Amino acid sequence: MASGVDIAVVDYGMGNLRSVSKALEHVAPLAQVVVTSDPEMIHAAKRVVFPGVGAMGDCMRELADRGLVHAVKQAAATKPFLGICLGMQMLFEHSEEGDVAGLGILPGRVRRFFGDMGQEAEGLKVPHMGWNEVHQQRAHPLWAGIDDFARFYFVHSYYVEPADAEMVSASCAYPFPFACAVAKNNLFAVQFHPEKSQHAGLVLLGNFVRWEGHSSQQSVA
Amino acid sequence: MGLAKRIIPCLDVRDGRVVKGVSFVGLRDAGDPVEIARRYDSEGADELAFLDITASVEARDLILSVIEAVAAEVFIPLTVGGGVREVADVRRLLNAGADKVSINTTAVLNPRLVSEAASRFGSQCIVVAIDAKANEQGGWEVYTHGGRQATGLDAVLWAQRMQKLGAGEILLTSIDRDGTKSGFNLPLTRAISDAVGIPVIASGGVGNLQHLVEGVTEGHADAVLAASIFHFGEYSVQQAKAYMQQQGIEVRLN
């Protein structure tokens, strides 16, 4: 472990991870940040960031083809771990997007916005794109210095529905509330893009790179 | 409270430099894209759009280093368009740090580019830019090549088709209004925004802050884009947001 990099950003060939790594380098200038698809490097890293864009089925397939499933599961169980966007959705059991299985690390499923109502339900557009308010449900070290209802940048058409309400760390409304951050032990995952959320996003990433992985969750209320 | 309407300053870039007289007070170099991007970011811009108008083939890759440099310092979404012809162009821009790539003329010449790029990189990063002009039938026609070439395509139907092919967002510019400072073409904006299920960015014609408000309230736009009112220092992004909020529009102020 001691010889591992500080932060491994899991690369499974889906999309551009440059903005994630640049933002991490910005908040942790002295840390070694590596974008990697090497399971050994992920295994040895002190912290792991699991980003993702695109379609869930493609992401799961790429992850499997690169032999990364075990490394990601192992990291999610043992060290400070941050899932972002599709990297949050993949942690769950199942997604409506392509009717595919996720990694099943967390109980729950991924659903499409207005899936039951047709795309123009409520006159709201899909993808849910732009800056929305993040309502912190529980205290967590990663929210340190971030105002409740601070806005973060979202772009997604699917959202997670965790089976266990206890793990919901923050919610967002579009127009109904959905889980936009989940936390469990050493694992934290967000639907929004902290790497694109200006100040609030950088604060969250800064908190992550200093976090030791203890959730110490308490209810805000 | 919920999703905020976005304000997007647009920077025209030629040969790696921002053009169109930028007159920010206190900038060391009025044409430096990084410095200008940083300035807009600190004023609270929700995203930045870069339109590459580089003409010479040799200078085409300069936009990549511009985006790389901006993406290393500015942590908000970046949309880049201009001269995107093939999937490889999309990939290069995304790898340089663009979050979204906008496709304009090529979407008309080769609509498959839109579906290929969307399936390869995800709809969330594919913006189709539509330049539209009023026609004699009371509708709007799609133009290409910077507004010079008529296509015979109906803009509303075209927007719907682009959504079907996988576009994640529409950047709609009224050619009639562009540069006039007389406000967005509101009927056009509303017709397109109401006809598609994906977000629409209104562009072309902004001359004052009330125009931004109307783009949202009457044009039903999800985001408003402006260049000159911000470039010439007439208004800051902050002022624009404060005004929009006063008019009851939800904006990001934190």
Side-chain angles (χ1 to χ4, degrees):
Chain A
M1 287 287 271
S3 60
V5 298
D6 296 316
I7 306 167
V9 179
V10 183
D11 178 10
Y12 46 96
M14 290 296 289
N16 161 40
L17 305 178
R18 190 186 185 92
S19 49
V20 174
S21 63
K22 285 285 168 202
L24 289 164
E25 285 164 15
H26 188 84
V27 297
L30 301 177
Q32 198 183 356
V33 180
V34 178
V35 175
T36 180
S37 51
D38 176 1
E40 286 307 312
M41 196 165 252
I42 293 163
H43 188 71
K46 297 186 183 70
R47 288 159 213 285
V48 169
V49 176
F50 185 44
V53 294
M56 175 109 158
D58 293 342
C59 286
M60 288 299 298
R61 195 180 55 242
E62 292 293 331
L63 209 57
D65 286 353
R66 284 154 209 257
L68 288 169
V69 170
H70 178 71
V72 169
K73 282 188 173 175
Q74 198 257 355
T78 56
K79 58 185 117 194
F81 183 97
L82 177 64
I84 298 175
C85 196
L86 226 76
M88 175 197 205
Q89 297 181 2
M90 279 191 286
L91 301 176
F92 288 82
E93 293 164 310
H94 179 266
S95 176
E96 284 182 0
E97 185 178 18
D99 190 23
V100 295
L103 294 168
I105 295 166
L106 299 175
R109 56 191 190 140
V110 182
R111 309 203 57 195
R112 191 176 208 284
F113 275 117
F114 320 132
D116 305 332
M117 300 176 261
Q119 212 171 60
E120 274 137 83
E122 316 276 345
L124 294 174
K125 306 292 183 73
V126 178
H128 170 226
M129 184 188 285
W131 300 80
N132 207 336
E133 293 173 321
V134 169
H135 180 23
Q136 297 165 24
Q137 303 288 319
R138 288 157 207 281
H140 190 281
L142 265 65
W143 297 125
I146 299 172
D147 289 342
D148 195 11
F149 293 104
R151 288 184 186 274
F152 286 81
Y153 186 80
F154 289 82
V155 50
H156 61 126
S157 301
Y158 294 79
Y159 61 94
V160 302
E161 206 173 63
D164 175 6
E166 286 291 298
M167 72 171 68
V168 177
S169 190
S171 66
C172 178
Y174 192 65
F176 56 84
F178 67 90
C180 69
V182 294
K184 192 181 180 190
N185 304 324
N186 57 298
L187 180 155
F188 198 85
V190 294
Q191 179 61 65
F192 50 80
H193 289 270
E195 76 281 12
K196 286 289 153 188
S197 295
Q198 218 214 16
H199 181 68
L202 295 176
V203 172
L204 188 141
L205 291 175
N207 291 338
F208 174 72
V209 302
R210 284 186 295 274
W211 182 41
E212 292 309 318
H214 310 295
S215 65
S216 64
Q217 274 203 23
Q218 293 131 18
S219 177
V220 172
Chain B
M1 299 297 273
L3 188 63
K5 300 297 177 183
R6 291 169 278 150
I7 297 193
I8 308 175
C10 179
L11 290 73
D12 287 357
V13 180
R14 188 170 60 211
D15 301 340
R17 307 278 297 165
V18 176
V19 294
K20 271 193 185 172
V22 173
S23 66
F24 279 135
V25 179
L27 289 196
R28 275 175 291 119
D29 175 354
D32 177 14
V34 178
E35 205 171 347
I36 294 166
R38 220 190 281 134
R39 176 67 166 257
Y40 284 139
D41 175 51
S42 71
E43 287 183 357
D46 296 311
E47 293 184 30
L48 293 175
F50 295 83
L51 179 62
D52 185 20
I53 53 171
T54 302
S56 67
V57 178
E58 311 85 70
R60 287 218 52 93
D61 282 352
L62 288 174
I63 189 70
L64 299 177
S65 28
V66 167
I67 298 306
E68 273 176 29
V70 172
E73 291 192 39
V74 172
F75 300 100
I76 57 176
L78 309 175
T79 299
V80 188
V84 175
R85 290 182 183 83
E86 47 190 86
V87 168
D89 294 331
V90 179
R91 187 193 298 111
R92 271 196 292 273
L93 288 167
L94 292 175
N95 285 342
D99 300 285
K100 308 183 214 176
V101 171
S102 86
I103 305 174
N104 192 338
T105 295
T106 307
V108 175
L109 301 179
N110 173 25
R112 277 191 51 189
L113 174 64
V114 175
S115 50
E116 280 176 24
S119 71
R120 194 85 139 257
F121 308 110
S123 288
Q124 83 289 334
C125 64
I126 304 302
V127 180
V128 169
I130 300 177
D131 293 345
K133 200 171 186 169
N135 62 22
E136 282 164 11
Q137 291 78 48
W140 300 275
E141 182 178 349
V142 178
Y143 278 67
T144 58
H145 298 86
R148 295 188 304 273
Q149 183 101 46
T151 64
L153 296 163
D154 174 80
V156 175
L157 296 176
W158 180 245
Q160 290 175 324
R161 182 159 172 228
M162 291 298 100
Q163 174 181 351
K164 276 205 194 77
L165 287 186
E169 193 170 36
I170 300 285
L171 167 52
L172 174 67
T173 303
S174 159
I175 301 172
D176 303 303
R177 296 301 180 94
D178 206 21
T180 65
K181 298 201 155 238
S182 58
F184 294 120
N185 183 329
L186 298 173
L188 165 67
T189 307
R190 182 195 287 232
I192 302 257
S193 190
D194 290 355
V196 296
I198 52 178
V200 171
I201 306 169
S203 156
V206 175
N208 61 46
L209 301 183
Q210 183 59 27
H211 292 153
L212 298 175
V213 170
E214 289 163 1
V216 172
T217 56
E218 293 176 44
H220 297 178
D222 301 281
V224 287
L225 179 143
S228 61
I229 62 161
F230 297 133
H231 284 326
F232 295 109
E234 290 166 56
Y235 303 100
S236 67
V237 176
Q238 243 159 347
Q239 284 172 314
K241 286 189 159 182
Y243 184 80
M244 289 174 82
Q245 195 193 34
Q246 266 171 31
Q247 303 301 308
I249 294 173
E250 194 161 352
V251 293
R252 176 181 69 111
L253 291 171
N254 57 306

